[in-house]
Amino acid sequence: STLGLGGLRAFRGGHPTQMGCWRSVPVSELYLDGGEPPRPRPIAFEASGASRASPRLPWTNEASKWRCLLRTCQSLVASVLYAAGMILRGPSQPTYLQLVIGTFWILPFMFIYHWLSMNQSGGYYDTFNDMFFKLPGHLHVVLERGTSAKYQIEIEYEHRSGIVRTVNALESGLIHMFVSSMSLGIAAGLFESCDSSDQTVCPGSLSTGWLVTEGLIFFGIHRILGANIFKGKYRGLLMPEAMWEFKSIVDRVPGDPYGRVDCTIRPLRNHPQPTY
């Protein structure tokens, strides 16, 4: 599951510069001895704090757009599945029955989302099952790390290394549970307090407008969490766990001594070692 964003190249002082994921890097700096492209940084991040101090150049506009598109597409996928759940639970059914049906839908929702989103590994897991089974150990790590400086260095290094976090299946399921429970709870309270027999005043079922609003709230929360706006704050509890890698690679082109620089996107297949 690797996506190529296309080769981009600009010229600075007569020499081509890399325009893959990062801006304005001389191609000569992109090669190692013998003209070979640089080896990818290992997923197991180095333990040296000094290696994390080197700055990463800004993202290109196109790479930033693809990063935004990746997160938005995943939120749209989750919202479509959420809408399917709203239809499945039956808006005209009693709210308590809708809540039960919606609860049973969450597990299939998470599995289908994990597959359609193309997410693979995350901050502490490699597979869909590990996402659940390794969660207690991850929460223990979260409580131990607190707001340590080492953790903040890890997060900063992660960002500079082209790692993009997105919302995983478990987090999507928790958002699903929160939004649907709040919506049905509020609706149940309104229905119970309504003593009119007029169906236009007390419809007894969720209206189309109510369902659309509920779906938009779900999409908004999912997209905001996916944007990773907190960037490791609050012990990382509000940081999405699924991880993708943006990486610039050199594509040799016949007759071109410099080659073409592509920005590729792929989900990480293995979580960072050690977990932080």
Side-chain angles (χ1 to χ4, degrees):
S1 300
T2 302
L3 306 178
L5 307 189
L8 300 174
R9 189 170 63 185
F11 287 83
R12 183 176 62 187
H15 299 286
T17 59
Q18 188 244 116
M19 292 291 286
C21 300
W22 322 111
R23 287 204 297 267
S24 302
V25 182
V27 168
S28 59
E29 296 178 10
L30 202 60
Y31 294 91
L32 298 178
D33 295 338
E36 292 299 322
R39 297 176 183 176
R41 186 182 298 274
I43 295 177
F45 299 150
E46 299 95 328
S48 169
S51 66
R52 290 166 169 71
S54 59
R56 171 67 80 178
L57 292 174
W59 292 54
T60 62
N61 290 333
E62 184 166 350
S64 297
K65 291 177 181 178
W66 277 95
R67 177 178 58 180
C68 178
L69 182 61
L70 170 65
R71 290 166 166 169
T72 302
C73 286
Q74 288 192 351
S75 294
L76 288 173
V77 167
S79 298
V80 170
L81 293 175
Y82 187 85
M86 287 193 292
I87 296 173
L88 182 64
R89 73 192 192 201
S92 60
Q93 299 286 347
T95 52
Y96 75 88
L97 184 57
Q98 291 190 54
L99 183 60
V100 172
I101 296 174
T103 301
F104 279 105
W105 166 245
I106 290 178
L107 185 57
F109 164 87
M110 290 190 291
F111 181 79
I112 298 173
Y113 171 80
H114 180 76
W115 176 58
L116 292 178
S117 67
M118 296 192 295
N119 288 335
Q120 292 187 17
S121 69
Y124 65 93
Y125 62 89
D126 291 335
T127 66
F128 180 78
N129 292 336
D130 287 348
M131 191 187 311
F132 300 92
F133 295 142
K134 293 187 176 181
L135 180 61
H138 174 64
L139 293 177
H140 180 70
V141 172
V142 169
L143 294 176
E144 281 192 338
R145 74 187 176 207
T147 56
S148 66
K150 180 179 180 299
Y151 173 67
Q152 295 299 327
I153 292 174
E154 295 278 7
I155 296 302
E156 180 62 22
Y157 174 78
E158 173 186 296
H159 178 70
R160 292 176 178 177
S161 299
I163 299 298
V164 173
R165 286 183 177 252
T166 62
V167 184
N168 68 15
L170 176 58
E171 293 157 344
S172 299
L174 292 175
I175 298 173
H176 185 300
M177 185 180 300
F178 171 76
V179 174
S180 61
S181 299
M182 290 294 295
S183 174
L184 293 174
I186 294 173
L190 293 176
F191 294 159
E192 186 174 350
S193 62
C194 187
D195 55 3
S196 174
S197 59
D198 187 353
Q199 291 294 314
T200 59
V201 178
C202 299
S205 63
L206 302 181
S207 65
T208 302
W210 184 285
L211 297 175
V212 170
T213 302
E214 181 181 334
L216 290 175
I217 291 174
F218 173 85
F219 173 81
I221 296 176
H222 195 280
R223 186 62 184 85
I224 291 172
L225 181 63
N228 195 16
I229 59 176
F230 298 105
K231 301 186 184 302
K233 295 181 180 178
Y234 312 112
R235 302 191 178 190
L237 288 172
L238 297 177
M239 184 170 61
E241 288 293 340
M243 304 177 80
W244 287 64
E245 180 185 31
F246 280 56
K247 183 171 63 176
S248 294
I249 62 172
V250 177
D251 182 18
R252 298 289 190 179
V253 178
D256 189 338
Y258 296 103
R260 185 182 65 178
V261 180
D262 286 332
C263 181
T264 62
I265 312 174
R266 69 177 181 90
L268 286 188
R269 297 179 181 178
N270 302 101
H271 70 279
Q273 293 285 358
T275 301
Y276 47 88

